[in-house]
Amino acid sequence: MGDLTGKTALVTGASRGIGRGIAQRFAGDGALVAVHYGSKDTAAKETVESILDAGGRAFAVGAELGAPGAVEALFAAFDAELAASGAEPGLDILVNNAALNFPGRIDEVSYEEFDRTLAVNIRAPFFLAQHGLRRMRDGGRVINISSAVTSTAHPAQIAYSVSKGGLDTLTLALAKDLGPRGITVNTLAPGWVETDVTASRRATPEGRAALAAYSVFNRIGRPTDIADVAAFLASDDSRWITGQRIDVTGGSTL
Ligand code: NAP
């Protein structure tokens, strides 16, 4: 178990799926966690309650990323909730996890879908980093949740793939810039994970088996598979790793 006692983390898209898993793991390791969500406040409340029930500390902050002023609104809520909880102002760990995916090949994607994908998946993380870094203490952590689609070709998800490629590049440039502050910046790239995103594909035994077959372990990833590696990256143990893209696909890309 890593030690994040005294640290404050912001996890975007923590109402459900991988983000919820990361928020729960960070809180279990002692961090105060800001559980961000877009519109599903009930789901965010469930994440917060699960953390509180386990003896951890967390609060929810809502902001529909991609909308004008969303990043500013998110951090205004974050600052206010932090003050209300009696914690020191500031941030130690930012996880850019929230994302959406409009599947489609090159000839199917509309301008609107492309713009929305980039607005949520890369413009928002870019400016969340900009605003988050103004609050981040030296020795902090930025963890970007990318995808296997940036190391293997997925033409049926081309807009999503392009947006995740941008996130990998953001990691690289930021890591160099933030070295003098002792801040590390890394990317985690999951494969198929058991979340709402894959629910319809997992609905039949054949669908489940097909997704499981991607991994050399012949199973679909779980949010905890990603959260455990995120906890390592958030901890002091990972201090000599920065600017890296870490494959967390259960060997799906081998
Ligand atoms: P998920 O279960 O669909 O949850 C998405 C989360 O992001 C929710 O908390 C949602 O908030 C939030 N979100 C989405 N759009 C938003 C917006 N416009 N503004 C604010 N919040 C927004 O997703 P997931 O499967 O856990 O995926 C998490 C991350 O892992 C994503 O970056 C995804 O690309 C990546 N990933 C997932 C898989 C997979 O197989 N699941 C594979 C590779 C990479 P609400 O609850 O309020 O809607």
Side-chain angles (χ1 to χ4, degrees), residues 134-146:
R134 292 175 186 155
R135 290 162 175 81
M136 192 169 281
R137 285 178 273 272
D138 288 358
R141 300 281 186 264
V142 179
I143 302 168
N144 294 320
I145 308 299
S146 179

Side-chain angles (χ1 to χ4, degrees), residues 228-251:
D228 290 352
V229 186
F232 165 67
L233 286 181
S235 76
D236 186 56
D237 288 350
S238 72
R239 63 195 169 276
W240 209 235
I241 300 173
T242 195
Q244 300 306 302
R245 176 188 180 284
I246 299 173
D247 181 295
V248 277
T249 66

Side-chain angles (χ1 to χ4, degrees), residues 22 68 72 93 110 139 149 170 173 184 208 211 224:
I22 293 173
E72 288 77 3
I93 306 156
S110 68
V149 298
L170 177 66
T184 70
R208 277 198 77 83
L211 293 194
T224 49

